[in-house]
Amino acid sequence: MPSATGQRGGQQGDEQGDERGAGVGFAGVDIGGTGSRLRVAAAPGARSYEVTGPPAAVVLGRSTVPDVVRDLCRAFAAEFGARPRVTAAAVGMRGFRSQTQAGSLDANHVHDILAEELRTTATAVASDAVTAHLGALGAGPGATLAVGTGAVAVACDDVGRWHLADGMGPHVGDNGGGAWIGRRGLDAAARAMDGRVMGASATLVQAAEQHFGRRERWASVTDVSQFAGFAPHVIRAAGHGDLACREILDEAARSLADGLCAVLNHPGVEPVAATTGRLLGNAPAFRSMVLQRLLEKRDDVRVQPTAGSPLDGSLHLARMLATLPAVVQEHVPLLAVRVGAAPRVDDSITMPKVVLPAVRPLPAQDVPPAAWALEVRSDYQWSADQVPSDAHAPTGSADTVVPLTGQRVVVGRASRSRGVVPDIVCEDTGVSRRHCEIAWVEGGWSVIDLGSANGTYVAARGEDLPTQPLRPGERRWLSDGDRVYVGGWTCLTARLVTADVH
């Protein structure tokens, strides 16, 4: 059952809730591998609340996250002394991506519980990777490595897209996390008991028997939190010079650094990094190993101190949802957002957001070689609808032909101060820094919007000017003559150039 604690920051005042509708603060929830917490942060000088509960699990194909969230909310209401009303609430949870994709969790149920129990109309449900990043670095670009029971690297780029590495769970990922280290340590103890030499650790035998029980029971251990609880023994033995444990930690450090580099290498991600999570926080020597491996790969990365925990990140997300709702964009499958009393039509992230057109077949071998290019020009008909009459409109057309080579090109405006240099640079002020991407996918060129401010519009050859932009993340395949409109006056036309054209 959840337990509650109250923190007083001034005189008691009126703390019994306001049934007239006044908000009592922002609610943040963190559901990890070993437990769950809900914290309500009120105005300065008022009382804040925190309740704790058990972790969530998947039982018979159903996630218990909705039950955990409901129990936490009711424990908070009991401590509050009345039915609360919060301004906004956000949940960060371990396994959000995998559970929603597998169908064991519907984010709508969590939204509904938050709205009913806390009487709020602004809610978010996110992967704990997102809230870990927000807690560690805030909403700005950069990358965060979160290591606890599991392990995940997450980054946010300069247009607000999220990028993840690992975090796939104990069966296929979480390399370098607490459960991974603990499992490897138990294996090292078992090797020593067999009399094997390679990868064996006699130092861990006694600790393993105390932690897991008799050796006959080791093969039946499946609880990831139990494995994670053994990781400190492995780290301690490595610090005392145990060779097998040092090798385990070295492999873990290299794997964690590799994941962090993977997300830092995405275009638009600033070379800024932070670490978070109980394992790294309690093992500074191991954290130093990870950062050393990171800087060996990327010596330009600036490592910053961690600002807060994933629970702080959930609160940060709730505040953003209330004060800057336009900034908090739903990002499948990492972040589900609901603002308003009724669910949005596409609110359930278990449903596909984009219906892709049929995959184009690869060209037959007897088709003459072909090349593609983009014709970039100013379109006066488009600018008449996009640019206000008193604004600066294009005075002439400066056509440019850009061959499409490689796998992808990014269209946008350059920014020296932010280090953003797109492949196709537009002077059009209505174009975002990283506006859209033209990419070779499944045998054809396609365009995808990168979360631009003014949208990306596509029209087929012969069609009228488009009126509906692509949704963020929606992909549209291009044919010869298709037109892509961005900003106030820029048009990019896809051109197919065959080998017999001179």
Side-chain angles (χ1 to χ4, degrees), residues 286-298:
F286 179 49
R287 178 178 181 270
S288 297
M289 290 177 61
V290 174
L291 295 180
Q292 180 182 352
R293 293 296 187 182
L294 168 67
L295 296 176
E296 288 173 359
K297 293 173 172 286
R298 288 282 305 266

Side-chain angles (χ1 to χ4, degrees), residues 3 16 33 81-82 99 106 136 142 150 154 195 200 245 296 315 329 345 371 393 396 436 464 501-502:
S3 60
Q16 298 305 312
Q99 290 181 29
D106 184 350
V154 58
C245 294
E296 288 173 359
L315 283 168
Q329 298 294 323
V345 175
C436 66
D464 294 335
V501 176
H502 301 285

Side-chain angles (χ1 to χ4, degrees), residues 101-458:
Q101 290 178 334
S104 60
L105 174 67
D106 184 350
N108 276 316
H109 295 162
V110 185
H111 285 302
D112 292 341
I113 289 168
L114 292 171
E116 179 182 356
E117 300 291 339
L118 301 179
R119 296 195 298 163
T120 180
T121 58
T123 56
V125 189
S127 164
D128 60 353
V130 171
T131 53
H133 178 84
L134 292 174
L137 284 179
T144 301
L145 177 66
V147 187
T149 300
V152 63
V154 58
C156 186
D157 64 21
D158 56 0
V159 296
R161 291 185 303 175
W162 293 95
H163 306 278
L164 255 66
D166 208 344
M168 297 297 292
H171 301 296
V172 294
D174 286 350
N175 297 300
W180 184 93
I181 292 173
R183 184 181 292 107
R184 294 292 298 272
L186 182 60
D187 176 67
R191 289 169 181 263
M193 292 192 73
D194 287 342
R196 290 181 282 174
V197 176
M198 186 175 66
S201 171
T203 308
L204 289 178
V205 171
Q206 183 178 0
E209 290 179 327
Q210 292 175 348
H211 187 79
F212 296 103
R214 297 190 308 272
R215 185 187 179 185
E216 291 77 14
R217 301 176 56 185
W218 293 359
S220 62
V221 177
T222 59
D223 185 356
V224 293
S225 62
Q226 194 173 6
F227 282 120
F230 192 56
H233 295 279
V234 181
I235 295 173
R236 192 177 304 115
H240 293 158
D242 186 285
L243 181 60
C245 294
R246 290 180 64 88
E247 290 176 348
I248 291 172
L249 290 194
D250 184 64
E251 183 179 354
R254 286 188 284 111
S255 180
L256 293 171
D258 184 60
L260 194 50
C261 283
V263 294
L264 281 165
N265 289 340
H266 282 283
V269 176
E270 290 188 8
V272 176
T275 66
T276 187
R278 182 176 300 178
L279 186 67
L280 294 182
N282 293 338
F286 179 49
R287 178 178 181 270
S288 297
M289 290 177 61
V290 174
L291 295 180
Q292 180 182 352
R293 293 296 187 182
L294 168 67
L295 296 176
E296 288 173 359
K297 293 173 172 286
R298 288 282 305 266
D299 59 2
D300 62 323
V301 175
R302 304 188 308 276
V303 179
Q304 293 188 354
T306 303
S309 68
L311 182 57
D312 296 318
S314 294
L315 283 168
H316 185 86
L317 180 57
R319 290 190 183 95
M320 290 174 61
L321 201 58
T323 58
L324 298 169
V327 174
V328 186
Q329 298 294 323
E330 186 164 280
H331 189 109
V332 179
L334 303 177
L335 173 62
V337 177
R338 180 190 291 180
V339 177
R344 297 183 305 180
V345 175
D346 61 344
D347 193 54
S348 173
I349 70 168
T350 61
M351 299 296 292
K353 288 294 190 301
V354 180
V355 179
L356 298 178
V359 175
R360 294 187 175 190
L362 291 173
Q365 294 298 320
D366 57 348
V367 175
W372 286 81
L374 285 176
E375 178 187 282
V376 185
R377 62 185 176 86
S378 299
D379 188 292
Y380 298 99
Q381 187 179 4
W382 175 254
S383 67
D385 291 335
Q386 301 299 313
V387 181
S389 58
D390 59 347
H392 172 71
T395 57
S397 175
D399 292 353
T400 304
V401 176
V402 180
L404 289 176
T405 58
Q407 297 293 317
R408 61 190 290 271
V409 294
V410 174
V411 179
R413 281 193 305 125
S415 172
R416 251 181 224 179
S417 61
R418 300 175 67 178
V420 178
V421 183
D423 301 295
I424 298 179
V425 178
C426 301
E427 300 299 328
D428 188 337
T429 56
V431 175
S432 297
R433 299 297 182 188
R434 294 173 54 79
H435 195 104
C436 66
E437 176 182 281
I438 312 293
W440 179 264
V441 176
E442 297 176 341
W445 286 102
S446 63
V447 58
I448 184 171
D449 185 83
L450 298 180
S452 63
N454 296 318
T456 301
Y457 298 75
V458 181

